[in-house]
Amino acid sequence: MENYYLLAIICCLLLFITVVLYLAGHGKKTMHLETPPPKVRNLKLREYCYDNLSFNLLLQKLKKVNVYNPDKRKVNAMDAWFKEATPQLMHDGDCLAYINSYGYLERTFWNNIAELGINPEQDKAFQQMIFSVNNHGLNNFCNLPFGYARRYKLLPEVETIIKTDPRLNAAKRVYELAYKPRKD
């Protein structure tokens, strides 16, 4: 009888692991459209989400950062970690989705980039991620692209992709709305 209980526990455990792995992989799938425009052969449409069942250690640590303004709370060690981790957070779409969801984190993210001397105007991968859309043509991020365009200009090749690829019309509208050329 004990063997049956052990067998039942093992089966349940295997089923649980299978479901977790399926859900973790399901949220990260990419889709290549069959007829991309000529100059955009390798564009991947992907949806970023901080609520999926991923085992992203950077995201798990980011979720420990207090999302309230330190003017109204005590500053803690996670505030310093957030600043130090900004270069890695810039290239993790699920972390960017989390940052995008909280106004304080988003403002602090842009301040951290400026204070650390990071130049996002030269970071093609970051730009493509910020202005990415999901499989339905909707922007992955609502606040970050606007914040980017208010502060920085896109690389010419990224701007060309956004302006010419019809799948990126939503990203194009955000950039055109927010970007104000600097008068130096």
Side-chain angles (χ1 to χ4, degrees):
M1 194 67 161
E2 292 175 25
N3 290 338
Y4 289 116
Y5 290 125
L6 183 60
L7 182 61
I9 290 172
I10 291 173
C11 288
C12 289
L13 185 61
L14 286 174
L15 179 64
F16 175 77
I17 291 171
T18 304
V19 168
V20 168
L21 291 176
Y22 172 76
L23 292 175
H26 189 332
K28 300 237 180 206
K29 287 185 180 177
T30 58
M31 181 180 113
H32 292 279
L33 296 179
E34 295 176 9
T35 56
K39 293 185 178 181
V40 193
R41 294 276 182 225
N42 295 321
L43 177 67
K44 292 181 182 177
L45 303 179
R46 178 170 172 199
E47 187 166 352
Y48 298 103
C49 178
Y50 65 87
D51 276 339
N52 64 12
L53 298 173
S54 68
F55 298 103
N56 183 336
L57 296 177
L58 191 60
L59 178 60
Q60 289 175 2
K61 194 156 187 179
L62 176 62
K63 287 184 176 183
K64 294 177 183 176
V65 174
N66 196 323
V67 297
Y68 297 105
N69 190 332
D71 294 342
K72 300 174 184 169
R73 65 171 173 84
K74 281 186 163 182
V75 176
N76 61 35
M78 291 309 293
D79 294 318
W81 175 87
F82 182 50
K83 186 172 188 172
E84 288 175 24
T86 296
Q88 293 85 28
L89 297 171
M90 288 175 65
H91 297 98
D92 187 306
D94 295 331
C95 288
L96 289 174
Y98 186 75
I99 292 168
N100 184 72
S101 299
Y102 295 98
Y104 164 71
L105 287 182
E106 190 223 344
R107 284 187 303 277
T108 305
F109 176 73
W110 293 120
N111 291 340
N112 289 347
I113 287 173
E115 290 173 15
L116 292 171
I118 298 169
N119 187 0
E121 288 185 321
Q122 299 301 315
D123 192 338
K124 184 177 178 179
F126 176 64
Q127 292 176 14
Q128 288 177 324
M129 190 175 297
I130 289 290
F131 286 92
S132 65
V133 295
N134 63 23
N135 296 331
H136 305 290
L138 302 173
N139 291 338
N140 278 315
F141 312 105
C142 53
N143 299 323
L144 289 172
F146 192 85
Y148 179 92
R150 297 296 283 171
R151 293 168 177 84
Y152 307 105
K153 181 167 178 45
L154 289 171
L155 287 167
E157 59 266 25
V158 176
E159 188 172 359
T160 300
I161 292 170
I162 288 174
K163 288 185 175 183
T164 59
D165 191 331
R167 297 172 288 177
L168 300 174
N169 281 339
K172 174 183 165 185
R173 281 187 297 247
V174 169
Y175 185 70
E176 289 174 346
L177 177 68
Y179 181 68
K180 305 286 184 218
R182 293 184 205 114
K183 296 177 182 175
D184 295 329

